[in-house]
Amino acid sequence: MRVTVTTPSRLAFCLIDLNGELGRVDGCVGLALDKPEIKLYIESTDHPLDVTNRIEDREAILAAAHAISARTGHAARGRIVIRESYPAHTGLGYRTQLLLAAGKAIAALHETQLTAREIATVVRRGGTSGVGVAAFESGGFILDGGHSFGPGMEKESFVPSSASGAPPPPVVLRQDFPASWRVLCVRCGTTRGLSGSAEVEFFRRTCPIDSGEVADTSRIILMLLLPSIVTSDIVGATGAITHLQAVGFKRQIWELQPREVYLAREVMEGLGLAGVGISSLGPTMYCFVGAAEADDAVQATSRALQLKGITANVWSTKANNSGARVRRSHWIPQDMH
């Protein structure tokens, strides 16, 4: 038996509350994307579980797969192959999607029904933002409700998902993203966002965020971004994204970015692209455009960045409004031909 899992990627627009005075922290708003995607498959064999490529992620994949095998009560056997992927630490939720895909593939191979939230809890993802877990589960535009905060609560300090043992937060809102919109994405060269101890230190140094900025962030989301998505008001949505870049934790994230990311943002805005935001800790930037304008926007942005001497990946994509896809099929081992 072969099980193939194809995941969306995700944008994290912003973390909402890294102050904690109300007894909750985090909360995130974001979006599942069709492209880029992760596609992996697992084939049942009589040999111990192994990963045949993507060696840099081998230990993390195996740890997740073994944990899910233990959860299902089956022996960890098979061969995992990564068919499509994208770079880690670029603001697109790579690690969460990879581990959820591996976990889902193992569970499906064992004919065990596990939700994305159950898998995320086992493989320890979703400890800050819940957008990646919800994107895998059902896609769409997502708002999560964060974690309880304080002594003995789900979280006792301000830390990223990689250092948190908290469960995935509850989804407060899941909405189909407008089908007539596209998302234009720009990722500069080989730039990578913070990870590991540097990411933990950034949270420690930056938090708590001033309660006034948290209030501004919340107001922008509640009174501009959410209704604009629900009513397909692209002008309101791009305005909300613009406002979010200047307040709260997102403002601090922009101060981390290298010069080429700032220059790329100026190029995009100079072309008239509205609502340029940065996803998660960066460096991937995004904006919303109409479907009819998407191809021209990609070409114009690519040309303008080249003229500025900026190497970047530029693409447009639909939102993913359905979540990860799982397919079971039979296969014949090569040594049987």
Side-chain angles (χ1 to χ4, degrees), residues 78-212:
R79 182 172 77 103
I80 297 176
V81 178
I82 313 299
R83 293 293 301 274
E84 294 184 37
S85 187
Y86 53 91
H89 310 305
T90 54
L92 296 173
Y94 165 81
R95 181 55 64 93
T96 293
Q97 299 305 312
L98 179 69
L99 299 188
L100 289 177
K104 189 70 172 181
I106 288 285
L109 189 69
H110 296 157
E111 298 184 354
T112 301
Q113 294 294 325
L114 292 178
T115 66
R117 182 181 178 86
E118 289 170 329
I119 295 170
T121 301
V122 173
V123 304
R124 297 175 64 86
R125 301 306 297 175
T128 298
S129 165
V131 170
V133 178
F136 186 94
E137 184 84 81
S138 60
F141 172 83
I142 299 147
L143 170 68
D144 77 63
H147 297 93
S148 61
F149 184 70
M153 298 297 156
E154 291 175 320
K155 296 185 77 169
E156 297 185 358
S157 61
F158 301 100
V159 291
S161 292
S162 60
S164 171
V171 173
V172 176
L173 172 71
R174 186 265 168 214
Q175 171 78 26
D176 275 0
F177 195 73
S180 61
W181 299 5
R182 296 294 181 266
V183 183
L184 176 72
C185 298
V186 175
R187 185 178 70 241
C188 290
T190 58
T191 301
R192 296 290 182 268
L194 292 182
S195 61
S197 60
E199 184 182 16
V200 173
E201 172 58 23
F202 175 68
F203 272 73
R204 187 202 64 78
R205 183 177 70 249
T206 305
C207 302
I209 298 295
D210 177 76
S211 60

Side-chain angles (χ1 to χ4, degrees), residues 8-11 31-36 92 183 185 317-320:
S9 49
R10 68 95 179 100
L11 297 175
L31 177 68
L33 300 180
D34 253 2
K35 300 293 181 181
L92 296 173
V183 183
C185 298
T317 178
K318 295 185 295 183
N320 177 307

Side-chain angles (χ1 to χ4, degrees), residues 229-245:
I229 297 296
V230 171
T231 61
S232 297
D233 174 9
I234 197 169
V235 174
T238 55
I241 296 299
T242 296
H243 287 310
L244 287 175
Q245 308 315 299

Side-chain angles (χ1 to χ4, degrees), residues 131 148 150 178 192 228 315 321 332:
V131 170
S148 61
R192 296 290 182 268
S228 295
W315 73 96
N321 281 326
I332 301 175

Side-chain angles (χ1 to χ4, degrees), residues 245-332:
Q245 308 315 299
V247 296
F249 194 58
K250 187 58 64 174
R251 177 176 60 82
Q252 302 282 346
I253 288 170
W254 271 106
E255 295 178 2
L256 290 174
Q257 304 309 309
R259 177 172 171 76
E260 66 176 352
V261 174
Y262 277 101
L263 291 176
R265 179 185 182 181
E266 290 179 359
V267 167
M268 295 171 71
E269 292 174 338
L271 291 171
L273 295 171
V276 177
I278 194 163
S279 179
S280 190
L281 297 182
T284 299
M285 293 175 287
Y286 64 90
C287 63
F288 307 144
V289 296
E293 295 82 43
D295 289 344
D296 288 344
V298 168
Q299 294 176 16
T301 302
S302 298
R303 286 195 300 266
L305 291 172
Q306 289 174 357
L307 289 173
K308 287 288 186 179
I310 301 171
T311 300
N313 293 328
V314 183
W315 73 96
S316 70
T317 178
K318 295 185 295 183
N320 177 307
N321 281 326
S322 57
R325 304 188 302 276
V326 181
R327 182 170 62 89
R328 292 169 56 88
S329 60
H330 292 283
W331 69 288
I332 301 175

